[in-house]
């Protein structure tokens, strides 16, 4: 059990690269926190600073109100699970899990108890005598988790632990790690660049870009109220559609002008745009593929926001189909029901409700 407090953490590597800037965050006891962002945005650096594997250039790191900037990694009571789980090939599963405890000169009986308990939690009991090469990828990843669990650390740090597994195993392990968190009731900080993992596993998400925090929120809030185009485009599949529109006022109502169409902006949002000085300026209207609907019934449902374009490509995903439609020179992705069939090149429609539209500054 532990809470972490990161205050204005920064990391500049010896070569001069500043990988993390002014990173401030409070991680609550027993929280499952996700750090997400594209490759190179500084996620691993944040984890390594927490673990004590990387010196902190500026700022303060506290664990349970104790400043630990200068506390050695081995004295922080934190376990880290890596992407390439690096098991000792010549040791059995049991000995791999026991290794760290033996180094610490823990009594044999206690080691046995801890390993057996971890093996039970991770369903590894029947595999304890095997060598890593006799295990599947998922089983090896579970052994790597087991090695962390046996130490009973206060905090688990996981750096893209599933990225070496195939898609099906990833889904399975995603659920197992979420269950593990419930079971252990410890603080988890989990790094991923996979938006499905980010959206489904944690209680809170930190979205990073170029070493800076973009947004910290629950998965639902990140999805519903992304603060900028970067966050909106990064989370949610297949991302958000962005359309440049001109904000205008006519007869006291605010509209977003998209080519020839005048789309009525909901009153509160319109007021906000007006107050913030966006009248007669171009902004970006964001709308998710799942909040658009295809030809068929859209004209009745959203007559005020019906656009027409040409179907460029349709992607069948089983439960749903995505239409890539060229509308006024740009490509818009629309989620349609699988029954809706259309030929490439055919004229199709795309309708939506402005209640689901987001407005962003350009290039945010
Ligand atoms: P992520 O885990 O999000 O992919 P990293 O924390 O690994 O990002 O890296 C962030 C930035 O810091 C990158 O630009 C990377 O090249 C740089 N970086 C990482 N480790 C080192 C290092 N040991 N020395 C110099 N630069 C580094
Ligand atoms: Mg990394």
């Amino acid at each position: 059990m532990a809470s972490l407090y990161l205050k204005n953490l920064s990391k500049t590597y010896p070569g001069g690269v500043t990988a993390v800037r002014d990173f401030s965050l409070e991680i609550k006891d027993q929280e499952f926190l996700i750090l997400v962002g594209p490759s190179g945005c500084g996620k691993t650096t944040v984890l390594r600073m927490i673990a004590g594997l990387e010196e902190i250039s500026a700022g303060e790191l506290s664990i349970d109100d104790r400043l630990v900037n200068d506390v050695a990694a081995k004295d922080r009571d934190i376990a880290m699970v890596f992407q390439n789980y690096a098991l000792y090939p010549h040791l059995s599963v049991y000995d791999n899990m026991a290794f760290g405890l033996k180094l610490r000169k823990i009594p044999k009986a206690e080691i046995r108890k801890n390993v057996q308990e971890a093996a039970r939690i991770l369903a590894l009991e029947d595999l304890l005598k095997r060598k890593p090469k006799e295990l599947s990828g998922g089983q090896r990843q579970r052994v790597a988790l087991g090695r962390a669990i046996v130490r009973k650390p206060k905090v688990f740090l996981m750096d893209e632990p599933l990225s070496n597994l195939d898609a099906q195993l990833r889904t399975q392990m995603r659920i197992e790690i979420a269950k593990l968190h419930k079971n252990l009731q410890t603080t988890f900080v989990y790094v991923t660049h996979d938006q499905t993992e980010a959206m489904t596993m944690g209680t809170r998400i930190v979205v990073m870009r170029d070493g800076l925090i973009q947004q910290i929120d629950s998965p639902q809030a990140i999805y519903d109220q992304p603060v900028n185009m970067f966050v909106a485009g990064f989370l949610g599949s297949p991302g958000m559609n962005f359309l440049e529109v001109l904000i205008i006022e006519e007869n006291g109502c605010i509209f977003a002008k998209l080519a020839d169409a005048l789309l009525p902006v909901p009153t509160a949002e319109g007021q906000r745009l007006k107050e913030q000085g966006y009248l007669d300026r171009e902004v970006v209207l964001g709308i998710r593929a799942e909040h658009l609907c295809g030809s068929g019934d859209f004209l009745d449902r959203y007559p005020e926001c019906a656009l027409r374009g040409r179907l460029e490509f349709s992607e069948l995903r089983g439960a749903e189909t995505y239409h890539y439609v060229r509308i006024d020179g740009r490509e818009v992705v629309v989620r349609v029901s699988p029954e809706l069939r259309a030929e490439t090149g055919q004229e199709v429609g795309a309708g939506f409700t402005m209640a689901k539209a987001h407005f962003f500054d350009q290039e945010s």
Side-chain angles (χ1 to χ4, degrees):
M1 300 232 296
S3 57
L4 299 170
Y5 187 42
L6 288 62
K7 192 175 169 205
N8 304 113
L9 284 196
S10 291
K11 175 69 191 181
T12 302
Y13 284 107
V17 177
T18 298
V20 175
R21 289 164 210 269
D22 237 356
F23 194 99
S24 292
L25 174 68
E26 211 176 330
I27 305 172
K28 296 183 204 80
D29 182 32
Q30 299 188 20
E31 185 166 12
F32 194 143
L33 184 99
I34 305 273
L35 280 182
V36 70
S39 177
C41 73
K43 305 179 295 295
T44 295
T45 304
V46 171
L47 273 202
R48 289 175 60 84
M49 285 194 285
I50 296 175
L53 301 172
E54 207 66 71
E55 205 178 306
I56 294 168
S57 307
E60 291 180 351
L61 171 69
S62 309
I63 302 175
D64 285 337
D65 298 327
R66 172 177 168 232
L67 189 67
V68 296
N69 283 44
D70 299 322
V71 173
K74 66 178 176 38
D75 300 323
R76 288 192 189 187
D77 213 358
I78 286 177
M80 189 151 163
V81 180
F82 301 92
Q83 173 181 345
N84 51 347
Y85 14 92
L87 302 176
Y88 300 108
H90 57 290
L91 295 183
S92 66
V93 167
Y94 182 94
D95 288 331
N96 262 288
M97 297 215 288
F99 191 81
L101 301 182
K102 282 184 183 160
L103 276 187
R104 284 184 177 75
K105 310 255 186 293
I106 309 282
K108 255 206 166 111
E110 192 180 334
I111 293 179
R112 179 161 297 278
K113 185 172 148 280
N114 287 7
V115 171
Q116 273 165 354
E117 192 182 330
R120 185 183 51 76
I121 291 171
L122 294 164
L124 289 169
E125 287 156 305
D126 297 337
L127 306 174
L128 289 172
K129 293 203 176 89
R130 292 210 197 163
K131 297 277 169 62
K133 69 169 188 298
E134 298 163 323
L135 302 176
S136 70
Q139 288 166 338
R140 279 182 216 164
Q141 185 52 273
R142 288 215 296 274
V143 178
L145 287 170
R147 218 167 34 177
I149 292 177
V150 293
R151 290 178 42 199
K152 301 193 185 275
K154 282 189 192 167
V155 181
F156 281 89
L157 306 178
M158 302 195 185
D159 194 357
E160 313 214 17
L162 307 185
S163 53
N164 283 342
L165 304 179
D166 62 47
Q168 201 180 350
L169 255 179
R170 260 207 318 263
T171 308
Q172 204 179 319
M173 286 300 294
R174 209 165 70 207
I175 296 162
E176 288 195 25
I177 290 178
K179 278 191 200 154
L180 186 64
H181 173 254
K182 280 215 169 69
N183 245 321
L184 297 176
Q185 305 197 324
T186 354
T187 312
F188 275 38
V189 185
Y190 186 102
V191 159
T192 182
H193 65 267
D194 180 289
Q195 51 131 338
T196 312
E197 288 177 24
M199 289 300 287
T200 56
M201 293 177 79
T203 37
R204 261 191 327 157
I205 300 178
V206 178
V207 185
M208 290 181 69
R209 176 197 202 180
D210 296 338
L212 290 169
I213 294 179
Q214 302 290 299
Q215 187 166 2
I216 307 175
D217 255 317
S218 68
Q220 196 64 46
I222 295 263
Y223 179 83
D224 287 336
Q225 293 124 26
V227 295
N228 58 27
M229 286 172 69
F230 176 80
V231 175
F234 195 75
L235 293 164
S237 171
M240 196 181 267
N241 292 296
F242 297 120
L243 305 163
E244 276 118 50
V245 296
L246 182 68
I247 299 298
I248 59 167
E249 184 168 23
E250 262 192 29
N251 305 323
C253 296
I254 308 293
F255 294 90
K257 190 168 188 299
L258 175 70
D260 298 331
L262 275 188
L263 314 174
V265 180
T267 315
E269 186 68 355
Q271 274 311 311
R272 181 186 73 82
L273 288 170
K274 184 176 175 180
E275 277 161 23
Q276 294 182 357
Y278 287 105
L279 270 193
D280 301 318
R281 279 176 56 193
E282 285 217 324
V283 301
V284 174
L285 183 156
I287 183 89
R288 294 193 187 277
E290 57 269 37
H291 295 142
L292 280 150
C293 58
S295 289
D297 59 353
F298 78 89
L299 275 176
D300 302 331
R301 273 161 71 187
Y302 307 125
E304 81 280 24
C305 301
L307 308 170
R308 295 204 77 79
R310 220 157 268 289
L311 182 65
E312 295 206 313
F313 179 65
S314 58
E315 182 188 22
L316 306 172
R317 288 202 194 175
E320 61 217 4
T321 296
Y322 288 93
H323 276 175
Y324 293 76
V325 185
R326 182 142 304 262
I327 297 174
D328 191 38
R330 48 209 136 193
E331 189 174 76
V332 174
V333 189
V334 185
R335 185 174 73 182
V336 300
S337 60
E339 297 85 57
L340 191 71
R341 290 288 153 88
E343 299 293 324
T344 306
Q346 189 182 324
E347 195 186 62
V348 293
F352 62 97
T353 162
M354 288 292 275
K356 293 288 187 190
H358 303 260
F359 292 93
F360 301 108
D361 263 324
Q362 281 168 316
E363 287 167 40
S364 61

